[in-house]
Amino acid sequence: MADMLSTGVSGLLAAQVGLSTVSHNVANVNTDGYSRQLVSYQTKQPEAVGGYYVGTGVDTQAVQRAYSQFLNSSLWSASSGQGRATTMNSLTSQINNQLAGSSNLQTSLDGFYGAVQDMANTPSDAASRQVLLARAGGVVSTFHALSDQFNQLSGQVQRQITDTVGSINTDSAAIAKLNGLIRATPSDGTPPSDLLDKRDSLVKKLAGEVGVTVVPQNDNTISIFTGNGQALVTSAQAFPLGSTPNVYDATRQEVTGATTGAVISGRIGGGSLGALLEFRSNVLDPAQAQLGRSAQAMASAFNAQHAQGVDLQGAVGGTFFNVAGPVVQAASTNTGTGTLDASISNIGSLTGKDYLMRYNGTAWSMSDANGGAAVTLSGSGTAADPFTAAGLSLVIGGAASAGDSFRIQPSQSAAASFSLAINNPDKIAAAAPFVVTTAPASAGIPSPTVSISDGSNPNLFDAATVVFSSPTTYSINGGPSQTFTPGQPVVANGWSMKFSAAPQAGYSFGVQANSNAQGDNRNALMLGKVANLGVLDGGITSTGHAYSQLVSQVGSAGALAADDLTTQTAVYSQAMGQQQSVSGVNLDEEAANMVRYQQAYQASAQVISASNTIFSALLSAVRSG
């Protein structure tokens, strides 16, 4: 006969496991990453009694977590997207706040060109000239402030990259350790649910740091790879990522793979690390370059016009603003003695991109440092015939070895170097350098434009008369006849004369130094027009417009990041809700289970009590017999 006592005990023990599991669920209702655990039971082998079978009770088969691999994978993917969106939104908000703060370049430019106009109204007034220098100093300070803020943000990004790589490695090592513990579970047993939950929680955290692919293995371990296939965890072994200084710039951190040590920064996506690298390459670097281009454009245009005037002493206007040219960085892996000098040959052709120059042992090649697109080089690279490309002039020196390379940053450091070249208000060249006369006066001849082509010419201010003997021939100061090509200027003594109407035979044009420099504002008026002068992008974009482009680009990146954060937060919330609908603890359900197991426990105890009563009655009957 089946053992009634054993049957009751099995039910009691089964109910006890159920009660313990429900208690564990309730205790961990607020534990992040915890999955609700369920008890599964099976009947014991029945006992044959005559021609029938009698049950012998229940066995606890397993305690397993409520789990969906699909929903967990969706949650990890959503965590990666939210991690990226959160970091990108934070960084773009910072750079937008910097541009919208007190360091507003457009405000400084407006104040500066307003002071230029005020000086043009009273060119001999010392006070207006002093105000102009003060406003120029304000423009310099704004460029420096924005550059400093961008550099501080860049330093923050470099530190965050290093910290995030360290966190990824810590999490990868913890997951590998848990893999080992889980793998050590007996093959005929159920993997411990709490260890699996702890591992999944770490995977979710890791996914928030970098985009990952998770591959379950037959031994209950998981392998984890980054989006580009770089292994982070396989079985019980972790493969740490590295952060190493860029070969061209030691202050710039790059991410390297564990096995090869190769730089994989450009192939990391997802998570906060992907956002840091993306922000640096696609937002911060272009912003720094665009700010630098704005500084170079302003210095180039204003200096060029300032050199077309004369100051209060009648001297040709000198450099008004100083600004640095391209920065060349040699790779730390270079083995040769080659050098590269870079300068701006055509500011209108500057693109805002960085470039790489590589030597393969026989020839040099140039490419976009970010996208790798090839750039055509003209010239031979010598001082007499430099390479030219993308608005740059490049001169090679020394003896480069095969594999040597250089990075060229045409504008990255320009804003930080922007400075005022003069501090004496008398040196502001507000006056035009020449007075031009025409004859015969009765002919109504349009006055030509005379500009300085070589301010160092010792004969620049010598009086000169240009007389046309025919529409195609002229002489200067009675000298030999020279050929005139319509549409081309007449050049002499360091000045250049351009005509708005074709000169005719008998026309005469006199050029002499301006003796009224203190009361002349003609060059000041031209300096005021520099505000809207197209300089960049083939002579289309002014300094102010270049800054507006910078603000627009950064603002667009910020708006996209904010929208993406809203979207990714919704996706994450949905994924979390779906995962919790399967794995989350429901207190109402657990309360019902508690009652059910409690009742089962009490019923099993009653079975044991009944068994005891029957056994006692049987003993009494035997004794009395």
Side-chain angles (χ1 to χ4, degrees), residues 104-190:
N104 188 307
L105 182 60
Q106 189 59 59
T107 301
S108 295
L109 291 175
D110 291 343
F112 172 70
Y113 283 109
V116 172
Q117 187 60 51
D118 291 342
M119 184 198 66
N121 294 334
T122 54
S124 61
D125 180 50
S128 64
R129 287 172 170 263
Q130 192 64 54
V131 169
L132 175 57
L133 288 184
R135 293 288 187 270
V139 173
V140 170
S141 297
T142 302
F143 271 119
H144 288 178
L146 287 171
S147 177
D148 289 344
Q149 290 170 358
F150 285 177
N151 287 335
Q152 289 173 8
L153 184 55
S154 177
Q156 173 189 328
V157 169
Q158 310 311 323
R159 290 189 296 272
Q160 283 184 266
I161 289 173
T162 301
D163 293 344
T164 304
V165 168
S167 181
I168 289 170
N169 292 339
T170 299
D171 293 339
S172 298
I175 292 171
K177 183 177 180 180
L178 286 170
N179 266 347
L181 295 174
I182 292 168
R183 188 178 59 182
T185 303
S187 58
D188 58 347
T190 303

Side-chain angles (χ1 to χ4, degrees), residues 328-402:
V328 176
Q329 299 166 317
S332 59
T333 55
N334 286 359
T335 58
T337 60
T339 60
L340 175 64
D341 292 325
S343 59
I344 297 174
S345 59
N346 182 358
I347 194 167
S349 297
L350 290 181
T351 63
K353 297 179 180 179
D354 293 346
Y355 297 95
L356 295 180
M357 285 284 288
R358 294 186 176 92
Y359 185 62
N360 63 7
T362 58
W364 288 89
S365 62
M366 184 175 179
S367 63
D368 180 346
N370 194 26
V375 178
T376 302
L377 288 170
S378 299
S380 61
T382 64
D385 182 29
F387 287 129
T388 57
L392 301 172
S393 177
L394 308 168
V395 177
I396 303 297
S401 298

Side-chain angles (χ1 to χ4, degrees), residues 397-421:
S401 298
D404 286 358
S405 63
F406 297 85
R407 184 171 72 176
I408 307 164
Q409 294 183 308
S411 308
Q412 201 80 3
S413 303
S417 70
F418 194 78
S419 63
L420 191 59

